[in-house]
Amino acid sequence: MGKTTIILGLESSCDDTAAAIVRYGPDGLSAVLSSVVVGQTDLHAAFGGVVPEIAARAHAEKLDHCVEQALTQAEMRLSDVDAIAVTAGPGLIGGVVSGVMFAKGLATATGKPLYGVNHLAGHALTPRLTDDVTYPYLMLLVSGGHCQFLHVRGPDDFSRLGGTIDDAPGEAFDKIARLISLPQPGGPSIEQAAQQGDPTRFAFPRPLMDRAGCDMSFSGLKTAVLRARDTLVAAQGGLYPQDQSDLAAGFQAAVVEVLAEKTRRALAQVPETKTICVAGGVAANMAVRTALETVSRTTDTTFIAPPLALCTDNAAMIAFAAAEQAAGRAPDDMTLSARPRWPLDKEQPAMLGSGKKGAKA
Ligand code: KG4
Ligand code: ZN
């Protein structure tokens, strides 16, 4: 794929079914021609987390519809597409299998080359699609299912500098929102409540700050918020709106401080790196963004946050990653299989943590 090419991307590794058409070209000519994302929040709402079997079935039902819509929005036909890219892991196995089987069917029927893509590579390479960022750069991936620092040196050359040893931050935002009776998804509602809150009323811990390196932990922080909530409920029979706001503000301040400090430490490990990028749903949080901007200002680096629609799960990032990697690899054949655990960094084992959205890599 040296010249300008058109790639159809497919994503189904978690609870979003997505298809996109991306034009890939040299010198910033790449563009997202269409990006369709169909969420499943309603299907899982009653269960307090993503139910893998329900997710897999919904993906299988919606993929062809998403592809049709992506083609229509890009004003193209399947015959205009040069290659098919699909998330082959990591993620919930049923969803990944749905996508991989669908992509194999399309590739067989059309004779187009097929590329299995690592979902995390999709997130990690997005700043090259949106901002033409040059290698190497530091990527903080923070979402409901992922939390890691990646040193991105090339399309398939990543080092994992550190990550969460338990919950992902988005998962923690969602759990805390549930604990203090705020609506889901927790991130936006905690952020909103925190605006009226006092972040100093509760002395919440900043976990793993005393440990060198940039690993993170959020489950102890969650327990601390739970205890503070229980103390208030025992004393006054419930939570007042101001209590919710103060708990939200205290929790958010702790997460922000940890992410900022660990970003500084990650950067110190790769001092030649001049760009800090962020991706994942938690990148929507203004307090997180502002703190990362401050880190970048004080370390003489540039801060890049792709537009939110490309920060969260989407298929444009999968199409782009395939195109970016195509020069250095062969297409996959019909033996392509789903890899629910697929660490990006080949030197490191997969993380063992498994959040509400499935296995982290
Ligand atoms: O990347 P994403 O859409 O899906 C995956 O987790 O893969 O991220 C969703 C997560 C949710 O946990 C949500 O609560 C969190 O991102 N989130 C936020 C905000 N908006 C979404 N967290 C903090 N502040 C926000 N404004
Ligand atoms: Zn993701």
Side-chain angles (χ1 to χ4, degrees):
M1 282 200 247
K3 53 177 184 31
T4 301
T5 43
I6 303 292
I7 307 104
L8 165 65
L10 301 166
E11 156 65 35
S12 58
S13 64
C14 187
D15 58 350
D16 290 307
T17 316
I21 305 286
V22 167
R23 183 183 67 215
Y24 182 79
D27 305 329
L29 270 183
S30 299
V32 179
L33 304 184
S34 65
S35 179
V36 176
V37 180
V38 177
Q40 306 178 349
T41 312
D42 297 352
L43 295 179
H44 305 285
F47 303 98
V50 177
V51 182
E53 291 76 11
I54 294 177
R57 182 175 297 233
H59 289 308
E61 281 168 5
K62 298 205 176 98
L63 272 164
D64 56 349
H65 173 66
C66 288
V67 169
E68 261 171 36
Q69 247 186 299
L71 285 167
T72 305
Q73 285 177 19
E75 298 181 356
M76 285 190 172
R77 290 185 311 192
L78 199 50
S79 55
D80 298 319
V81 167
D82 297 306
I84 295 162
V86 62
T87 300
L92 299 172
I93 181 129
V96 180
V97 167
S98 299
V100 167
M101 296 302 285
F102 183 85
K104 281 185 183 176
L106 265 189
T108 308
T110 58
K112 315 270 183 201
L114 170 69
Y115 290 88
V117 172
N118 184 307
H119 176 88
L120 302 175
H123 279 303
L125 296 173
T126 300
R128 292 195 36 87
L129 165 64
T130 57
D131 294 81
D132 235 353
V133 171
T134 49
Y135 297 115
Y137 54 90
L138 178 69
M139 163 59 75
L140 168 58
L141 192 49
V142 266
S143 69
H146 324 295
C147 179
Q148 50 187 296
F149 288 105
L150 293 165
H151 188 221
V152 186
R153 291 180 300 258
D156 195 18
D157 186 5
F158 308 93
S159 283
R160 192 175 164 286
L161 305 175
T164 183
I165 59 168
D166 41 54
D167 292 358
E171 190 181 352
F173 269 96
D174 295 339
K175 285 181 183 166
I176 296 299
R178 223 167 277 131
L179 284 182
I180 62 174
S181 309
L182 292 174
Q184 294 294 313
S189 45
I190 295 259
E191 181 171 17
Q192 205 188 353
Q195 279 164 9
Q196 286 82 46
D198 172 5
T200 62
R201 176 171 163 200
F202 302 98
F204 292 139
R206 272 58 174 156
L208 294 197
M209 285 295 227
D210 54 350
R211 194 196 278 188
C214 52
D215 278 341
M216 291 163 279
S217 159
F218 296 98
S219 88
L221 174 58
K222 199 180 58 197
T223 309
V225 179
L226 172 66
R227 286 218 189 91
R229 180 207 68 170
D230 286 350
T231 307
L232 286 171
V233 172
Q236 46 187 53
L239 294 181
Y240 293 106
Q242 193 58 49
D243 299 327
Q244 289 175 305
S245 290
D246 293 343
L247 289 166
F251 164 75
Q252 181 175 275
V255 172
V256 166
E257 202 178 311
V258 169
L259 289 177
E261 176 56 25
K262 296 289 177 169
T263 302
R264 247 180 236 114
R265 293 187 196 174
L267 200 59
Q269 290 181 34
V270 285
E272 75 287 5
T273 299
K274 291 293 162 220
T275 315
I276 303 174
C277 304
V278 66
V282 180
N285 187 289
M286 281 317 293
V288 169
R289 278 182 185 236
T290 306
L292 294 177
E293 265 160 17
T294 305
V295 172
S296 124
R297 233 187 357 264
T298 53
T299 51
D300 202 20
T301 52
T302 307
F303 175 65
I304 303 281
L308 198 63
L310 294 174
C311 265
T312 51
D313 286 352
N314 67 89
M317 68 180 191
I318 302 304
F320 179 78
E324 197 66 353
Q325 294 179 342
R329 58 170 279 197
D332 284 294
D333 59 22
M334 288 303 126
T335 62
L336 175 68
S337 54
R339 293 180 66 182
R341 286 183 186 270
W342 183 3
L344 260 191
D345 184 339
K346 299 173 183 72
E347 308 297 314
Q348 298 218 30
M351 296 283 285
L352 290 179
S354 177
K356 76 173 164 57
K357 294 198 164 181
K360 297 181 216 18

